[in-house]
Structures are given as C-alpha cells and as structure tokens.
Amino acid sequence: RNVRILLTSKFQLGKSSLGRVIEHPYYLGGLTFEHTVRLFAHLCPYLHTNAERKEFFACMIQDAIQADLKADDANLNEYTRKWFKVLGNGVPAKLEKVAYSISEEEVKLLGKKN
C-alpha cells in the first residue's frame, strides 16, 4: 500500500529515515509581481467581480518588465519593491494572510493609480 503526502514548507523535514519515508524536496521560488497581484485580487474579499479585479490589476501593474520579476531580482524598481513587500514578497502563504487581513480602505488605496 502506497500513500503519498504533499507538504509545503520552507525547509526539508529531515525525517527520511523514519520507517520507509522518502522525502523528495522541490524548491519553488516566489511568485512574479504579476502573479502576486493576480492571486491577491482573487483572494481579497473586497474585489468581488472580474471587472474590479481587472481594474485593480491594471492599477498595480504599470510596467510589463517589472511584472515578470520576482521579489529577490536585482532589477526591481522602488514601486514594485514597495508593493511586493506589502503583498508578502511573492510568498503565497504570506499573500493569503495579507489578502484576508487587509481592510477595505487599504485595498482601495492599493488599487488607486500610484
């Protein structure tokens, strides 16, 4: 009988010698700025419709080159670095916490042209 379990973590568990348990770590980088903004827009309870999410996305993504960068890329400009930090630096777990804890007023401020 085989059982497969998928765990997400920043670090290996280090329990590979425990009763025929085999650990196969896959290291995934953070999300790009574009994907960070898209995921936030879909998770945020204050952006209800596709039109609202599209408008939010258009306001946040101002440069196509910056949209393809990740939080640790050297070419980030100050605007992208600032909003990456607010949105959890492209880490989905942090982004989810931000999306569910941010106030409606803060979302409105984020979605305004900066």
Side-chain angles (χ1 to χ4, degrees):
R1 181 180 210 187
N2 292 326
V3 177
R4 295 176 187 233
I5 299 173
L6 174 65
L7 300 174
T8 59
S9 175
K10 287 186 175 185
F11 309 102
Q12 290 187 25
L13 296 175
K15 303 286 184 189
S16 60
S17 64
L18 182 67
R20 297 188 315 189
V21 173
I22 299 171
E23 184 177 15
H24 296 285
Y26 294 95
Y27 298 101
L28 305 174
L31 301 173
T32 64
F33 187 56
E34 174 183 0
H35 291 113
T36 298
V37 172
R38 282 191 193 281
L39 182 57
F40 176 84
H42 282 282
L43 292 175
C44 181
Y46 304 114
L47 300 171
H48 303 287
T49 66
N50 285 337
E52 288 175 330
R53 288 188 282 273
K54 186 177 180 179
E55 181 181 343
F56 178 82
F57 182 81
C59 288
M60 292 294 294
I61 303 295
Q62 298 181 359
D63 181 342
I65 293 171
Q66 291 291 307
D68 288 333
L69 297 178
K70 295 184 177 186
D72 56 354
D73 287 339
N75 297 343
L76 283 180
N77 64 26
E78 287 303 312
Y79 170 85
T80 307
R81 189 178 315 281
K82 171 185 164 185
W83 294 118
F84 243 137
K85 188 174 180 180
V86 169
L87 298 176
N89 285 319
V91 177
K94 290 180 182 179
L95 175 60
E96 183 180 21
K97 287 179 185 176
V98 171
Y100 290 116
S101 64
I102 196 168
S103 72
E104 188 170 6
E105 293 76 27
E106 290 172 311
V107 173
K108 287 178 183 176
L109 288 174
L110 274 174
K112 288 185 178 178
K113 291 279 186 196
N114 296 308

